Amino acid sequence: MINFEDYIESIPDFPKEGILYRDIQPLLEDDFVFSQAIKELGSIYQQPTYWVGVESRGFLLAAALSIKFGGGIKMIRKAGKLPNKTLSKRAYDLEYGKGYLEMDIDRERGDCVIVDDVFATGGTMECAERLCEDAGLEVMGKVALVDIGIKKDHDVNCLVTYNG
């Protein structure tokens, strides 16, 4: 069995002093480990209509999950990055203010699994869930490669969990 934590690099004081950054690049660089991570992340779900990737590394994971398990891909992006006319826009809290995410809501309905690389405070994932609901999608689940251990009680399935 693979210890995925061995493929996540901890970088102190990045992007600023006092932050311990969890870098997933080593995991992505190893095709076998990445493949196994995708297998474990997606195997608990029946094929959803969509894997919904949150900008930007969530796109990589959603694409891999789609190829492995079937289902389409939808994107949640930072405000102003999608050209669609029928967008839903939601705010979420950042440590230094508010951010905004958008999603196209004028497409086929169905169910989905929301995909991101890192789960921290839950703000991004909560915003993504509201956007999926705006689009008429039933959220079957939420996944992330890494839980950095800030929020203890949540329903996001994470491959690696740190204790804060």
Side-chain angles (χ1 to χ4, degrees), residues 56-74:
S56 67
R57 290 169 296 221
F59 299 164
L60 299 170
L61 302 171
L65 287 160
S66 173
I67 290 168
K68 174 76 176 164
F69 295 102
I73 301 167
K74 288 185 78 65

Side-chain angles (χ1 to χ4, degrees), residues 22-125:
R22 304 294 186 172
D23 186 8
I24 67 166
Q25 289 182 89
L27 185 143
L28 297 174
E29 291 169 354
D30 187 304
D31 62 332
F32 178 75
V33 174
F34 181 47
S35 173
Q36 292 304 302
I38 291 301
K39 183 178 176 183
E40 286 198 31
L41 281 174
S43 64
I44 62 174
Y45 300 103
Q46 296 294 320
Q47 178 182 328
T49 307
Y50 298 107
W51 298 96
V52 178
V54 179
E55 187 165 336
S56 67
R57 290 169 296 221
F59 299 164
L60 299 170
L61 302 171
L65 287 160
S66 173
I67 290 168
K68 174 76 176 164
F69 295 102
I73 301 167
K74 288 185 78 65
M75 296 185 296
I76 291 179
R77 299 209 61 191
K78 293 177 183 170
K81 301 285 186 174
L82 291 171
N84 311 73
K85 293 180 182 178
T86 54
L87 297 175
S88 179
K89 180 178 181 178
R90 294 277 184 155
Y92 67 104
D93 290 327
L94 300 167
E95 61 183 304
Y96 50 84
K98 285 204 178 296
Y100 294 90
L101 296 174
E102 294 179 329
M103 181 180 188
D104 178 17
I105 60 170
D106 188 31
R107 298 277 194 262
E108 178 183 340
R109 306 294 187 246
D111 52 25
C112 70
V113 175
I114 302 170
V115 184
D116 206 354
D117 63 327
V118 174
F119 180 80
T121 64
T124 302
M125 195 64 79

